[in-house]
């Protein structure tokens, strides 16, 4: 899966809202992780804080996808990226697209998206990197208190 913190989600709304020219879709570039890795890292961290936890594996629910796509294959040709965001521009075939802004209108360095954003094919964070991410973002801080 891809993960994003609440501050990253808020930044997406603010940054995308500030850049928006109309009809585009903004997506934060996120880290891919394995849910089983996340469960193991959280269980280890909580056990060090004196909390007991157990990782329980369950079967996928009916219809549940085992991966996520930040961009579909048909969106990639009309997508550009900034350092932190993917921007999917509106389709040129639509009547509204005639007034679509050029990439330069966004006021930041943009480049065409060069790769597929698919969590099942992306490089996932290692457990060590995931542990560092959780620490840096202070995600478990409320549960680490004595």
């Amino acid at each position: 899966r891809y993960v994003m913190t609440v501050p990253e989600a808020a930044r997406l709304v603010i940054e995308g809202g500030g850049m928006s020219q109309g009809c585009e879709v903004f997506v934060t570039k996120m880290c891919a992780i394995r849910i089983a890795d996340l469960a193991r890292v959280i269980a280890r961290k909580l056990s060090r804080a004196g909390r007991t936890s157990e990782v329980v594996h369950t079967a996928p629910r009916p219809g549940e996808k085992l991966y996520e796509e930040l961009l579909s294959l048909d969106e990639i040709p009309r997508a550009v990226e900034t350092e932190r965001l993917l921007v999917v521009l509106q389709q040129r075939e639509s009547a509204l697209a005639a007034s679509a802004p050029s990439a330069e209108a966004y006021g930041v360095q943009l480049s065409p998206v060069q790769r597929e954003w698919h969590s099942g094919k992306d490089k996932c964070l290692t457990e060590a990197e995931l542990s560092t991410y959780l620490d840096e973002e202070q995600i478990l801080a409320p549960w680490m208190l004595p």
Side-chain angles (χ1 to χ4, degrees), residues 11-142:
R11 184 186 318 171
L12 168 63
V13 171
I14 293 167
E15 211 170 338
M19 289 175 56
S20 180
Q21 300 293 310
C23 297
E24 61 282 90
V25 175
F26 294 90
V27 181
T28 296
K29 292 179 180 178
M30 293 178 255
C31 301
I33 66 163
R34 288 179 199 84
I35 298 300
D37 292 347
L38 177 63
R40 281 191 297 274
V41 169
I42 289 174
R44 271 197 305 271
K45 288 182 171 297
L46 292 177
S47 69
R48 288 186 203 128
R51 309 245 190 248
T52 58
S53 59
E54 180 183 344
V55 175
V56 177
H57 293 271
T58 61
R61 295 180 181 154
E64 182 177 2
K65 292 170 66 174
L66 299 178
Y67 61 88
E68 294 176 295
E69 296 170 294
L70 295 186
L71 293 176
S72 66
L73 288 175
D74 65 312
E75 291 172 324
I76 291 173
R78 58 189 171 91
V80 293
E81 61 184 304
T82 72
E83 182 181 336
R84 288 187 301 276
L85 298 176
L86 302 167
V87 184
V88 182
L89 303 172
Q90 63 183 327
Q91 291 184 359
R92 296 288 179 194
E93 295 80 27
S94 83
L96 295 173
S99 61
S102 65
E104 294 78 31
Y106 292 99
V108 294
Q109 180 70 28
L110 297 173
S111 56
V113 172
Q114 297 294 319
R115 70 178 188 89
E116 189 174 3
W117 283 79
H118 184 292
S119 66
K121 300 174 184 177
D122 214 340
K123 179 183 178 286
C124 292
L125 294 180
T126 65
E127 287 190 24
E129 292 167 331
L130 188 49
S131 180
T132 300
Y133 178 76
L134 294 174
D135 290 343
E136 288 174 351
E137 299 297 330
Q138 299 179 0
I139 292 169
L140 296 177

